[in-house]
Amino acid sequence: MNWEVIVAKERVTVIDIARAAGVSKSTVSLVLQGSSLVNEATRAKVNAAIRELGYVYNRSAANLRQSKSKIIGIVVNDLTNSFFAELAVGVDAVVQSAGFVQFLANTSEKIERQREVIASMREHGVSGLIISPARGTEASDLAPLVESGIPVVLVVRDITGAGVSSLTSDNHAGAVAAVRHLIERGHRRIAFLGGFADTAVFKSRVRGHRDALLEAGLGPQNELVIGSAPSRAGGVTAIEQAMMLKERPTAALCFNDAVAFGVCDGLRARRLEPGADFAVIGFDDVIEAKTAVPALTTVSVDPQGMGEHAAELLLKQIKAGRAEPEAIVSSVRLVVRQSCGAAAERRMKEVSS
Amino acid sequence: MNWEVIVAKERVTVIDIARAAGVSKSTVSLVLQGSSLVNEATRAKVNAAIRELGYVYNRSAANLRQSKSKIIGIVVNDLTNSFFAELAVGVDAVVQSAGFVQFLANTSEKIERQREVIASMREHGVSGLIISPARGTEASDLAPLVESGIPVVLVVRDITGAGVSSLTSDNHAGAVAAVRHLIERGHRRIAFLGGFADTAVFKSRVRGHRDALLEAGLGPQNELVIGSAPSRAGGVTAIEQAMMLKERPTAALCFNDAVAFGVCDGLRARRLEPGADFAVIGFDDVIEAKTAVPALTTVSVDPQGMGEHAAELLLKQIKAGRAEPEAIVSSVRLVVRQSCGAAAERRMKEVSS
DNA sequence: CTTAGTAATTGGAACGTTCCAATTCCGTCA
DNA sequence: TGACGGAATTGGAACGTTCCAATTACTAAG
């Protein structure tokens, strides 16, 4: 017993601190929580001991006791898309300054993986979840989650009947504004390029496209709606397809900025200069949109701001306990830059040649 | 008091399952862990009860008992940069399939925030950490972390003296290869554009640039090394600055792909076509590099692969307990696409005009 | 029919915190 | 001097799991 060597770095606990500071573990706990009940002098003593011994708080133990954590989960469908990366950054910012930490998971649009990560997050006791659902997610997929009473905020894509709050952008209005702008500039054949046709976001943007066209008496132009993967590569193929048409478009509203960049690429590959020879409008307003050449005209959705907003909404619900679900659709505005700058007549020539 | 309503859904625990299945809690625990000790029939009974009652595993409790978690943390300095987003995706992929879940935090290059998130992750008991350190991080910032014995893998940026494993790319060799390629194509004045001069990554890439130049007897060309923010916008300003020089470059190696895209933008703004009139080489090989127009010649670092590699390294260390730190520098290769395709003579004309 | 050996199951302690009710301390007032 | 009251502190139970040693059930061998 005389040579009992304590070499293994035992975890230092609140009890060790208590012993070192000459108080009880309860007092230490109080200090840890910043309670006003504890005397200034003891608080100092305790804090000193904490620094001294290199104590690190054990949240697992705390969570267990009070059955609530300081974790929020965020699951996105495609982190590779900078729209979602920025969204995550926005969430992270507000969530961190509220003292929470974020679990981030990427589903790559796979429902199965989404199921797994949501389950895993529940096991970790997240106090709330921000979800940008994978393609094809149904209300029933979310049912067990919402029944458990965990606050959930859906972003970007709403799911009807899920019974949770959602934060989407006004896709219809954005598309209408963009197409109207193109019409004002004299365009008559305006394509809608990119995106998966089975998503709600796609549908409402296409609806906006069609409504603006009809409003101007230009007919629905369904043949100019060309889906593709919502990526840069998808944009290239979409514009190629569009240019094979007998009656080519002179302008395009794109499903998102990634597609729009792809469309610009595809245009250049055909020796057409975006902006000068063909008008391109994107959707989202990712950071690169501003600095690209030509600067991208786009419907600004402000992904980072959206992330912040979603996080605030979630935190509000967490604080309030169970809150009535609300569906917020945040307004959107057309940011006119250079990529839609072409005078329509010039393109007319190009097209008729 | 007579109306005491028990509406709050009590958490269902392993004990409830045990009761429902007519076994002991220990057996349920065994089932949960997939132990081979338990009889097939009981296992089925237990699993049925689990589904029946909608049980969700409480990892906080488990962590508390076995003092190890299935969480790994990843902290990146700029999630907005798609290089890091892809890195995170790579990490996520392998970490998830190993049954772990990832905490992701974004430091936005702020040391203070980095300190906070690392502390927070420790409190949550992460079993390992992958860190792409914020600019200016020093070994002493990491000291308490590494002393605690938590496996750490540094990615992208190494920190000398930190005493942990690191995974960086061979920046020097990559830069040498890129510049040699440009020299072979006949270029004589080759700029290095973008990046913060105080980072190790910048320094080794610039060193590669200079060494290749010296090797070919072209002198150090220090005046052609122009720093900037490592972003698209930074690339625009860097190329602008470069083109103000009396003796303009005819080609540039860029700090990263984002800068390279910005350089292309800046070139176009001056009515110069990247690839045709000026050779541009990037660094990193982000996904957009392939589909951009012109497709970007770049030093391929494969961020996603790097993330996967880092995750594997970390998992290995976690499994092995305390392992000897190893410094891996992964090799890198020049992917020649179109943006460096200009014949040098053509550009010579341009420059002398 | 016993015994040994393996397979399956089990109760209780432990993990590190928080919460509650109880206690101590100390100055003030009658 | 004693009673009072607020401020500060405290011991023990509880949270939901895992681990350990111990027990029971079953099978095959003697």
Side-chain angles (χ1 to χ4, degrees), chain B residues 256-310:
Chain B
N256 65 17
D257 286 347
V259 168
F261 289 131
V263 166
C264 290
D265 292 343
L267 250 14
R268 288 217 181 87
R270 297 188 150 247
R271 312 244 141 250
L272 257 33
E273 185 56 24
D277 306 319
F278 189 102
V280 177
I281 297 188
F283 220 112
D284 287 354
D285 199 16
V286 301
I287 21 175
E288 296 102 18
K290 185 165 28 244
T291 52
V293 172
L296 191 66
T297 293
T298 189
V299 179
S300 174
V301 170
D302 183 17
Q304 209 155 320
M306 201 160 168
E308 290 165 12
H309 194 157

Side-chain angles (χ1 to χ4, degrees), chain A residues 184-208:
Chain A
E184 275 167 24
R185 295 229 168 191
H187 294 273
R188 290 296 167 262
R189 292 191 60 76
I190 301 170
F192 184 96
L193 302 180
F196 288 127
D198 59 352
T199 63
V201 173
F202 181 90
K203 283 176 191 151
S204 41
R205 291 184 185 171
V206 165
R207 201 148 21 80

Side-chain angles (χ1 to χ4, degrees), chain B residues 3 13 29 59 64 108 124 144 149 168 191-192 203 294 324-325 331 335:
Chain B
W3 271 98
T13 78
S29 175
R59 276 189 201 275
L64 175 56
S108 312
H124 283 283
T168 54
F192 184 96
K203 284 176 191 151
E324 236 12 66
S331 66
V335 179

Side-chain angles (χ1 to χ4, degrees), chain A residues 297-315:
Chain A
T297 294
T298 188
V299 179
S300 173
V301 170
D302 183 18
Q304 208 154 320
M306 202 161 167
E308 289 166 12
H309 195 156
E312 282 157 9
L313 193 57
L314 185 70
L315 290 175

Side-chain angles (χ1 to χ4, degrees), chain B residues 239-248 270:
Chain B
I239 185 68
E240 275 169 8
Q241 220 174 311
M243 297 311 258
M244 308 280 267
L245 258 29
K246 230 177 291 170
E247 292 196 85
R248 293 180 186 170
R270 297 188 150 247

